[in-house]
Amino acid sequence: IITRYAARIVGFLQNEECLGRLGGDNFVALVCKERTEEFLNIISGVETYGLLDGKEEPITIGAIAGIVDINEKNADSANIVSDCSMAMNIAKHIRKEPYAYATLEIKEKRLKSSQMITNFSKAIQNKEFMAFYQPKGSSDNYMIVGAEALARWKQDQTIVSPGECIPEFEQNGMI
């Protein structure tokens, strides 16, 4: 499915543009700035198919994207990929939108993310992660039937939002 998806995207690209797979379902694309909107329209709903019991079943795959305008000032590939990743995470987890541009705010979040990742090991050692238990109820008899354990990071007397730290830890292989 991913191969067919990628082939559809590659079919859109022109000679100076390219698509690469970072791993899993994570891709990076270099697209001319004037074609950005058209590219976003393409990736918002790529029709392909999966196989179920040997039969082709149509599916539509939509991507969530982080976008960076590349210029001489930000031409460092590591920062470009990092800014794209941060913008994509903001689009996906915070704004719940199909894409987000890397802005100064996002770059500041990247710095904060870097600090979070740096502080992770120390937080484990200092036992800053705590378990909170959320009851699970039965809709049949309205009784509590269990609990879900939720990990929370208490840093400097403040609970760090799971939306801020969990995606960063997952993306960096820390969970």
Side-chain angles (χ1 to χ4, degrees), residues 106-159:
I106 287 173
K107 291 176 186 201
E108 289 170 356
K109 286 185 183 284
R110 179 171 43 89
L111 177 61
K112 187 176 181 180
S113 166
S114 177
Q115 291 169 338
M116 255 190 263
I117 291 164
T118 300
N119 293 333
F120 180 77
S121 294
K122 186 176 84 174
I124 295 278
Q125 290 172 355
N126 294 341
K127 299 183 181 182
E128 294 177 16
F129 288 94
M130 304 165 51
F132 287 78
Y133 297 94
Q134 179 173 305
K136 292 171 65 175
S138 166
S139 59
D140 293 334
N141 58 16
Y142 304 105
M143 300 288 293
I144 294 175
V145 295
E148 179 180 14
L150 306 172
R152 296 294 181 259
W153 184 5
K154 187 174 182 182
Q155 184 182 43
D156 300 325
Q157 303 304 314
T158 303
I159 302 289

Side-chain angles (χ1 to χ4, degrees), residues 82-99:
S82 180
D83 288 348
C84 279
S85 180
M86 183 65 67
M88 188 266 315
N89 279 326
I90 287 171
K92 185 176 187 177
H93 298 289
I94 296 171
R95 295 184 186 161
K96 311 281 191 223
E97 295 177 352
Y99 63 87

Side-chain angles (χ1 to χ4, degrees), residues 19-62:
L19 176 73
R21 183 171 172 220
L22 296 175
D25 61 354
N26 293 306
F27 292 82
V28 62
L30 291 173
V31 178
C32 292
K33 191 179 293 190
E34 60 271 6
R35 291 174 28 95
T36 302
E37 188 173 324
E38 189 179 358
F39 181 73
L40 291 171
N41 286 334
I42 294 283
I43 67 170
S44 69
V46 173
E47 293 182 17
T48 185
Y49 65 90
L51 295 175
L52 181 64
D53 297 327
K55 182 181 171 197
E56 289 184 11
E57 293 290 331
I59 59 172
T60 302
I61 299 173

